[in-house]
Amino acid sequence: MRVGLVLFITAVLLAIGGCAGDTAVAHGRNAALDSVDLVSMTDDMAMKIVASPAVQRAIAAEGKLKVVVEPVENQMTGEVLPRGPAQAFTGRLRVLLSQHARDQFTWVMNRDAWHYLRRRELEIDPGPSPDVIQPRYALTAKFSSLTNEDSKRRSSYYLCIYELTDLQHRDILWSDKYEVKKTALKTFLD
């Protein structure tokens, strides 16, 4: 009886978090991606990238993977994803991997971040020029959406695809997705 209850609770939690491979469904005041999605999505992607047999084979063959992280590419239909949130959805994944798999990845500063620090003329050295250090892999994400709206509700489906790409061979070493459907009633939107 106790084992059955544990299995049931685990299945419910996975379904709510979108980790079971099915599309999570959320209802409420807003149909946009939010902080709950940020946490669920990046937790899920961090676990999946570390568990990937292809990633583990590459680490066994090469040692720590040199990875640069890019902000999310916004391919959503009607949503604006400012630079801060676009960096948060890949940046949090990098932080999780830095904390929990620090012996598996070396993080190379993004070229734009390096130039930003250089322009600020701080009294710190931003490190070697981006032309000197070449990452072998890029961690990227593309967010797409489909939105339906009528007089009573707005419903949005999000597909968020993460990829770890081998830049030398242009092969995708690892890829996975996070899906969520959100519905907001118009009375909440007005």
Side-chain angles (χ1 to χ4, degrees):
M1 178 71 174
R2 182 177 245 174
V3 173
L5 180 61
V6 170
L7 290 174
F8 173 75
I9 291 171
T10 301
V12 169
L13 290 174
L14 288 173
I16 290 171
C19 299
D22 296 332
T23 303
V25 177
H27 300 280
R29 298 177 182 254
N30 192 336
L33 291 173
D34 59 21
S35 61
V36 173
D37 297 306
L38 169 67
V39 171
S40 295
M41 182 185 312
T42 54
D43 285 351
D44 187 36
M45 293 299 107
M47 287 187 303
K48 288 178 176 178
I49 196 170
V50 170
S52 165
V55 171
Q56 290 306 313
R57 280 192 301 275
I59 292 168
E62 303 171 32
K64 285 181 159 185
L65 303 184
K66 290 171 92 173
V67 182
V68 64
V69 178
E70 296 293 324
V72 170
E73 183 180 328
N74 183 8
Q75 297 179 344
M76 296 184 285
T77 54
E79 295 83 355
V80 173
L81 188 64
R83 185 156 179 82
Q87 291 174 323
F89 278 93
T90 52
R92 185 171 190 276
L93 178 54
R94 182 192 54 77
V95 168
L96 289 170
L97 292 171
S98 294
Q99 291 173 343
H100 302 291
R102 73 175 52 119
D103 59 331
Q104 297 182 14
F105 302 95
T106 297
W107 302 102
V108 178
M109 185 185 292
N110 180 300
R111 184 181 310 255
D112 292 340
W114 187 88
H115 286 294
Y116 171 76
L117 286 175
R118 186 75 174 196
R119 280 192 310 272
R120 291 189 59 203
E121 297 182 13
L122 299 174
E123 292 187 22
I124 62 166
D125 180 11
S129 166
D131 298 328
V132 174
I133 299 175
Q134 295 299 317
R136 169 81 188 267
Y137 297 92
L139 179 63
T140 60
K142 294 178 186 160
F143 289 10
S144 303
S145 66
L146 297 171
T147 300
N148 292 318
E149 191 168 347
D150 60 30
S151 62
K152 295 180 183 178
R153 69 182 51 94
R154 176 184 173 142
S155 178
S156 295
Y157 161 79
Y158 296 93
L159 175 62
C160 306
I161 299 173
Y162 284 79
E163 294 179 342
L164 183 64
T165 305
D166 180 336
L167 297 171
Q168 287 182 348
H169 300 104
R170 296 185 180 179
D171 293 335
I172 297 173
L173 180 64
W174 168 85
S175 181
D176 215 314
K177 67 181 173 17
Y178 178 88
E179 299 175 274
V180 64
K181 182 177 181 183
K182 296 185 162 220
T183 301
L185 299 178
K186 282 290 188 134
T187 56
F188 291 131
L189 296 175
D190 297 334

